[in-house]
Amino acid sequence: MPREHYSELLALIAVARERSFTRAAAQLGISQSMLSHTIRGLEARLGVRLLTRTTRSVSVTEAGERLLRVVAPRLKDIESELRHVAELSETAAGTIRITATEHAIDTLLWPKLSEILPAYPKIKVELNSDYALTDIVQGRYDFGVRLGDGLTRDSSAVRIAPDLQFAIVGAPSYFASRAMPDKPQDLANHECINLRLPTRGNLYAWELKKSQSESNVRVEGQLVFNGIYQILNAALSGFGLAYVPEDLARPHLESGRLLPVMKSWWRKFPGYHLYYSNQHEISRAMQILIEALRYRK
């Protein structure tokens, strides 16, 4: 296959996956104009339109879908074999792409990776902050990070953290003129700061548990964010109650900037797991990261 044909197909796969010329160009490390020129050249050579472009989105045509169904898996096999051959060398190398929430990245992944990466200068790591629970195969990620109860059956997983407790908290200023709630039903009378999950397109219901009683509460409030850190900051400013990882709230609880709310209803979840597709060949670089991140009591 001529080199330019290989590059054209890789460009098409990137645009189809990202649904955006801007994001695909950034991922490929080329300019958007060069990427557009490459796609137009492929379409002109084949005599058929492969992508439908609008001012806001990019979609794949029927002809494009047919081409991708055949070509994408074969290119993936080629890349896998090249990676396998590279692993025969003594030095671990390659790019590892990981999708995780900002909380997992900031409190877990980066602290551990920053310790081991200096010993492996040829391993490159891309960390993508994402609450969308992205499909790692479709997104071409090597790893994803999720809580243990969110794993799928078609993946393998390694526990990388202890159980994670979520806490309901509020600032003292918020309670200056409000009574402290003591049961889930009381939350209907409070300003609660919501989290929107991109994949589901709706607001996250607070998952609470007290002994054997469980309650998923749809809360209301003035503010909605798509990140935990923004929710925490809003709570610190007195805008309402927040449902956040307890480890994030702990310093502010200890200093008195936040107050614990309905502590008997705080719920623990199975800790973060590093997961990967069962169809993904595990490279030496991936093995190094797995062992570095593996949770050891």
Side-chain angles (χ1 to χ4, degrees), residues 34-275:
M34 181 179 294
L35 178 58
S36 296
H37 177 75
T38 299
I39 296 297
R40 285 197 299 269
L42 176 61
E43 291 178 326
R45 186 163 54 80
L46 296 178
V48 64
R49 184 173 293 278
L50 302 172
L51 298 172
T52 300
R53 308 160 179 82
T54 68
T55 56
R56 295 186 177 181
S57 65
V58 179
S59 59
V60 184
T61 65
E62 183 179 351
E65 289 282 3
R66 178 176 178 177
L67 180 62
L68 288 170
R69 278 197 302 271
V70 175
V71 170
R74 295 179 181 177
L75 289 181
K76 183 178 178 180
D77 290 341
I78 293 173
E79 290 178 348
S80 176
E81 188 60 30
L82 290 173
R83 184 168 57 247
H84 177 71
V85 171
E87 292 300 326
L88 297 177
S89 68
E90 294 183 357
T91 304
T95 298
I96 305 298
R97 302 183 69 234
I98 307 175
T99 177
T101 63
E102 56 186 344
H103 176 251
I105 291 174
D106 289 357
T107 65
L108 184 62
L109 298 182
W110 176 240
K112 291 186 177 181
L113 291 176
S114 64
E115 293 180 357
I116 68 147
L117 287 179
Y120 301 97
K122 292 190 177 181
I123 295 180
K124 297 181 180 180
V125 178
E126 177 183 339
L127 296 171
N128 181 59
S129 178
D130 184 12
Y131 281 84
L133 302 179
T134 300
D135 184 302
I136 58 173
V137 175
Q138 184 177 356
R140 298 188 72 185
Y141 289 101
D142 298 286
F143 294 118
V145 176
R146 290 185 187 175
L147 293 175
D149 60 352
L151 299 172
T152 59
R153 294 182 179 179
D154 60 348
S155 64
S156 298
V158 176
R159 190 181 182 101
I160 59 175
D163 287 349
L164 179 66
Q165 186 171 53
F166 269 66
I168 305 174
V169 295
S173 60
Y174 173 79
F175 289 108
S177 59
R178 297 176 177 87
M180 182 78 69
D182 60 12
K183 56 184 181 297
Q185 295 90 321
D186 295 342
L187 294 174
N189 299 318
H190 284 266
E191 284 288 321
C192 297
I193 306 166
N194 265 301
L195 170 68
R196 185 175 296 281
L197 298 177
T199 301
R200 301 174 186 175
N202 55 17
L203 302 180
Y204 170 68
W206 292 9
E207 299 175 78
L208 310 178
K209 184 175 183 179
K210 181 180 181 181
S211 299
Q212 299 304 312
S213 299
E214 298 185 11
S215 180
N216 290 354
V217 184
R218 297 286 179 182
V219 297
E220 298 289 340
Q222 185 179 17
L223 295 174
V224 178
F225 293 97
N226 66 348
I228 290 293
Y229 287 86
Q230 295 74 33
I231 290 175
L232 178 65
N233 289 335
L236 286 166
S237 298
F239 278 90
L241 304 182
Y243 188 55
V244 296
E246 187 271 338
D247 63 312
L248 284 187
R250 189 182 307 136
H252 307 294
L253 290 168
E254 292 173 349
S255 68
R257 294 187 65 197
L258 289 175
L259 299 175
V261 178
M262 293 170 48
K263 193 169 183 178
S264 61
W265 284 93
W266 293 5
R267 184 167 187 167
K268 277 191 176 181
F269 296 86
Y272 285 124
H273 285 64
L274 187 74
Y275 71 98

